[in-house]
């Protein structure tokens, strides 16, 4: 267990190269086409802090994608409650916010294996259940393709 980072610190973000590789691994495993490197858009990595009610924790599926653990599937109720999406990656799992930036439980899952991610996920759920909490907190990263602006399109 550790204290949460101050809100003044930069968000925890995964490596963009590791993220792209992980998505390619998952797409290959699913028999989907991988975007060739010379046709890929530019990307940004976004951060979302999602509150996941304990009654929905079984609606999240993980996939081991060599460089990262990705969320491979979500029940629609989880999407609706949290805003999380398939292909997001969880970088931190927390429970029991103390109101001062600290947590009763916090696990760093940035770049973690599927086993480590599952262990922190389970530990946060257990902590929440043992302390009468109704939710856990997931900090996720999302790979977001950047689209050219309309002004750029007009200039070309």
């Amino acid at each position: 267990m550790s204290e949460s980072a101050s809100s003044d610190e930069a968000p925890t973000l995964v490596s963009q190269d590791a993220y792209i590789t992980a998505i390619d691994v998952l797409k290959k495993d699913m028999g989907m086409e991988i975007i060739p490197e010379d046709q890929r858009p530019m990307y940004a990595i976004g951060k979302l802090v999602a509150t996941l009610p304990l009654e929905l924790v079984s609606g999240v599926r993980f996939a081991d994608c060599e460089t990262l653990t990705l969320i491979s599937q979500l029940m629609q109720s989880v999407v609706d409650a949290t805003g999380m999406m398939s292909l997001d990656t969880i970088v931190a799992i927390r429970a029991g916010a103390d109101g001062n930036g600290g947590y009763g439980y916090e696990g760093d899952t940035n770049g973690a294996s599927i086993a480590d991610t599952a262990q922190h996920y389970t530990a946060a759920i257990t902590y929440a259940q043992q302390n009468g909490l109704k939710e856990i907190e997931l900090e996720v990263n999302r790979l977001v393709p950047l689209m050219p602006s309309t002004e750029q399109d007009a200039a070309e």
Side-chain angles (χ1 to χ4, degrees), residues 6-72:
S6 155
S7 60
D8 295 336
E9 292 182 23
T12 304
L13 299 176
V14 298
S15 155
Q16 185 171 317
D17 290 339
Y19 209 149
I20 292 168
T21 299
I23 290 173
D24 287 350
V25 167
L26 185 59
K27 283 183 173 183
K28 183 179 176 188
D29 288 350
M30 296 172 65
M32 296 172 65
E33 184 179 348
I34 296 171
I35 300 171
E37 239 177 275
D38 63 341
Q39 296 177 17
R40 291 180 192 218
M42 290 181 54
Y43 292 102
I45 295 179
K47 172 190 157 184
L48 169 72
V49 176
T51 302
L52 180 63
L54 291 182
E55 65 266 16
L56 298 178
V57 296
S58 64
V60 180
R61 299 284 179 265
F62 302 119
D64 186 353
C65 299
E66 294 178 13
T67 56
L68 291 176
T69 298
L70 297 180
I71 296 173
S72 61

Side-chain angles (χ1 to χ4, degrees), residues 59-125:
V60 180
R61 299 284 179 265
F62 302 119
D64 186 353
C65 299
E66 294 178 13
T67 56
L68 291 176
T69 298
L70 297 180
I71 296 173
S72 61
Q73 295 178 318
L74 294 163
M75 291 177 56
Q76 188 60 46
S77 56
V78 173
V79 174
D80 294 343
T82 65
M84 293 190 312
M85 297 172 46
S86 292
L87 305 182
D88 285 349
T89 186
I90 301 171
V91 296
I93 302 173
R94 306 177 186 106
D98 66 9
N100 295 316
Y103 292 88
Y105 179 85
E106 182 171 16
D108 178 1
T109 56
N110 186 348
S113 69
I114 194 168
D116 288 346
T117 300
Q119 181 180 3
H120 285 298
Y121 192 71
T122 302
I125 293 166

